[in-house]
Amino acid sequence: MKRLLLILFLIAVTFPPAQTPNAIPSRPRIGLALSGGGARGFAHIGVLKAIDSLGLPVDYIAGTSMGGLIGALYAIGYSGAELERIALETNWNQLFSDQLPRNILPYPEKKETDKYQLVLGLKNREIQLPSGLIRGQKITQMLSRLTYAFQNVKDFARLPIPFRCVAIDLISSRKVVLSKGSLSRAMRATMSLPTIFYPVSWGDSLLIDGGMMDNLPVDVVRDMGANIVIAVNVGEPQKSKEELNNIIDIVGQIFSLANTEAQEWALANADLVLTPPLGSMTGADFDKADIRRSIRRGHRVAVDSLAALLEIRHITDPTHIHSADRAVVDSTRLYGVQIAGNTTLPFSLIDSLLDLRPGMLFNADTLKAHIYALRRSGLFKTVKGSVQAVDSLRYKALITVTETQKPHIARVTISGQKILSFRFIYNLLGIQPGTVFDPELIDRRITQLYSLGYFETIYYDIKPLSENRITIHFHVSEKPRRELRVGIKYDDLYNLTMAIGVQGTNVLIPGLRMENELLLPEYLAARFKVFYPSRSLTFPIYPFVHLG
């Protein structure tokens, strides 16, 4: 606390009140650095709820792993309370599984549910080991749903709160600070815990969780321009031999050991460090009771540091200027306008309707009047406005909109396929030009396509073409053409039974699947199956042949 007060004093000296009418006192910028920590990261939500209640302005956010996920959502406008609702309503244990519910699987795939415990790709008769235990298709779709309104924002500095997240490039062995591109893919990359999740392809790079090099990115948020850094540290302390009970614990310990020097630097260089008292909670504790407890403890550590947070709010308050200067201030002026949430309507159209111009006299009533004009246009379901102080006399207007009319899909493009044709995938998706863009519909179609077993991952992005028209682009990654499948089960009739199968996909014709299977040792049998798990027909028929 004494260190923080000294820092705030130095900042007050660095950003002094104006002494002449022409001098405009600058407001110190606040940055949040949110660490990784798996399920322990839900404590960030409790801290953010406290920051919301205090009205503390946040100018920059940088996060790693779970801190990157929560930080990104906060940066695009989700409040601490909304993040809490999302965290508690989500079934995280299901989300971190690639297994889809049986009710959406085609009939041949339903019969194979839980039959094989080990599935490995085959290429040129050689076994291909997987890149991780979880492909992450479900969480990829969830992140797309939560962030789709910002898919046309490719520069994270243009988000309502400028944002960065940290990953590691497996190719160059370097830390990568993600600042541009697809927000949902950046979020997926920063949480790609090695051996657990498949890494994320990003240009020429292959990205994994950044926690091994920079789990608490104080340096990143400093580089963004923050004068005051609040660091929230939820990383797990190093465990004893008896506490290393599973692969999550071991990977977490490796991260902790590799990150020691960077962690020490971050803790020493943050202005305020909040460390929620999470006790024995691990990064794998995703049950609802654990999530609630984590959020409560995050809020508690913020309340315990209330005096420090209030001091930061006081020194960053733009109205905190010398009384002699107030007499010459007729009104604050608009510094700039930032618009977010529009998926099809161009910025220029919204900007002309809003009619806010940099340099104009500006106050709360001015903003309300211009927002009312925007609502009156009928183009928007919701319009939210807020202001962010640049200094004591200038403010930036932040406008977040939800469009009334959903855009129409003008073009559908697909990339990443190597064996299956564009036409084959396009027909299975069933999304054609002229279709109204509906994120829930797109999500269902992706889930149906994924259920057929042809792909490892599927995700999409959108690009505005003109007013009310967009291009939707699907990125796919196909599964290996052949797979070795091994399973073991025990029953009262045959005791222990092992199933060994080799399955080929896209044999003879696209989508056709063949499998040779051997059962042993008590029940000895050989089986041959041919099936075509495609939903391209107008009724649910799945051609299926079973011999043996």
Side-chain angles (χ1 to χ4, degrees), residues 151-168:
Q151 285 209 28
N152 62 336
V153 181
K154 300 304 181 184
D155 183 351
F156 303 161
R158 294 183 58 82
L159 296 173
I161 301 175
F163 171 74
R164 302 283 187 275
C165 61
V166 179
I168 295 172

Side-chain angles (χ1 to χ4, degrees), residues 117-133:
Q117 288 81 49
L118 180 64
V119 179
L120 300 172
L122 293 173
K123 185 176 182 180
N124 299 327
R125 298 183 181 179
E126 293 184 0
I127 293 176
Q128 293 181 297
L129 295 176
S131 308
L133 299 177

Side-chain angles (χ1 to χ4, degrees), residues 63-85:
T64 299
S65 197
M66 183 61 87
L69 263 67
I70 291 173
L73 294 177
Y74 192 75
I76 63 175
Y78 287 91
S79 66
E82 289 171 324
L83 291 173
E84 181 177 33
R85 176 184 57 77

Side-chain angles (χ1 to χ4, degrees), residues 428-448:
L428 290 176
L429 275 169
I431 298 170
Q432 300 174 348
T435 303
V436 174
F437 175 77
D438 182 347
E440 294 182 3
L441 171 64
I442 303 298
D443 192 63
R444 287 196 303 271
R445 295 293 173 83
I446 287 178
T447 299
Q448 290 175 352

Side-chain angles (χ1 to χ4, degrees), residues 11-131:
I11 290 173
V13 173
T14 306
F15 299 90
Q19 302 300 316
T20 68
N22 294 325
I24 301 177
S26 299
R27 176 179 72 78
R29 301 290 185 264
I30 299 175
L32 292 183
L34 306 182
S35 83
R40 294 166 62 94
F42 290 115
H44 292 311
I45 297 174
V47 173
L48 293 174
K49 288 178 65 179
I51 286 175
D52 287 345
S53 65
L54 291 172
L56 195 67
V58 176
D59 300 288
Y60 308 105
I61 301 177
T64 299
S65 197
M66 183 61 87
L69 263 67
I70 291 173
L73 294 177
Y74 192 75
I76 63 175
Y78 287 91
S79 66
E82 289 171 324
L83 291 173
E84 181 177 33
R85 176 184 57 77
I86 292 169
L88 294 174
E89 289 180 355
T90 300
N91 187 327
W92 294 92
N93 292 318
Q94 279 190 8
L95 196 68
F96 293 143
S97 166
D98 290 321
Q99 182 63 53
L100 295 174
R102 291 185 81 252
N103 65 315
I104 67 171
L105 294 174
Y107 173 73
E109 296 294 334
K110 287 180 181 179
K111 292 173 67 65
E112 307 297 314
T113 303
D114 299 326
K115 183 177 181 179
Y116 299 104
Q117 288 81 49
L118 180 64
V119 179
L120 300 172
L122 293 173
K123 185 176 182 180
N124 299 327
R125 298 183 181 179
E126 293 184 0
I127 293 176
Q128 293 181 297
L129 295 176
S131 308

Side-chain angles (χ1 to χ4, degrees), residues 100 104 137-138 140-142 144-145 151 425 428-431 437-453 455-461 472-476 535:
L100 295 174
I104 67 171
Q137 177 63 32
K138 291 180 184 176
T140 294
Q141 290 181 235
M142 176 191 178
S144 293
R145 287 195 302 271
Q151 285 209 28
I425 302 170
L428 290 176
L429 275 169
I431 298 170
F437 175 77
D438 182 347
E440 294 182 3
L441 171 64
I442 303 298
D443 192 63
R444 287 196 303 271
R445 295 293 173 83
I446 287 178
T447 299
Q448 290 175 352
L449 181 59
Y450 185 74
S451 74
L452 300 177
F455 302 100
E456 289 188 339
T457 56
I458 309 167
Y459 67 97
Y460 74 95
D461 51 43
I472 183 166
H473 182 76
F474 293 92
H475 304 261
V476 301
R535 294 178 184 270

